[in-house]
Amino acid sequence: SIDEPLYAWSYTSENLENAVQAVCDGDSIWKASKKFSIPFSTLRESIKKNRLISEPSLGRYLNLSSDEEKIWLRI
């Protein structure tokens, strides 16, 4: 029926925690999501919420290294 989801994911909170740990240990989010059968977007959002990865947001101050700043000043 139309109300049924296209994909039925079944994973435990333990699998999610293990996947997050695998990413912390160096696995890519994609690899960990496949290894522990966690949807990629679910794992990525979980990692973002725990601040294990950060993404700059609009209006955020950008810190440049001194080398990067010199490059930009030459442009």
Side-chain angles (χ1 to χ4, degrees):
S1 85
I2 294 202
D3 294 332
E4 292 179 17
L6 292 176
Y7 301 101
W9 295 96
S10 61
Y11 58 89
T12 64
S13 59
E14 182 180 356
N15 278 1
L16 182 58
E17 290 173 18
N18 289 336
V20 169
Q21 186 60 49
V23 172
C24 290
D25 292 341
D27 281 353
S28 68
I29 297 173
W30 182 257
K31 183 177 179 181
S33 73
K34 294 298 175 194
K35 184 177 181 180
F36 293 97
S37 301
I38 307 289
F40 175 85
S41 58
T42 301
L43 180 55
R44 185 172 186 275
E45 288 303 312
S46 178
I47 291 169
K48 279 175 60 176
K49 286 179 184 175
N50 290 325
R51 304 216 187 266
L52 299 177
I53 60 173
S54 62
E55 295 179 354
S57 60
L58 293 176
R60 185 174 180 177
Y61 182 74
L62 177 62
N63 290 323
L64 299 175
S65 68
S66 59
D67 291 335
E68 291 170 329
E69 188 174 353
K70 288 175 188 174
I71 292 170
W72 279 103
L73 290 175
R74 282 190 240 152
I75 295 178

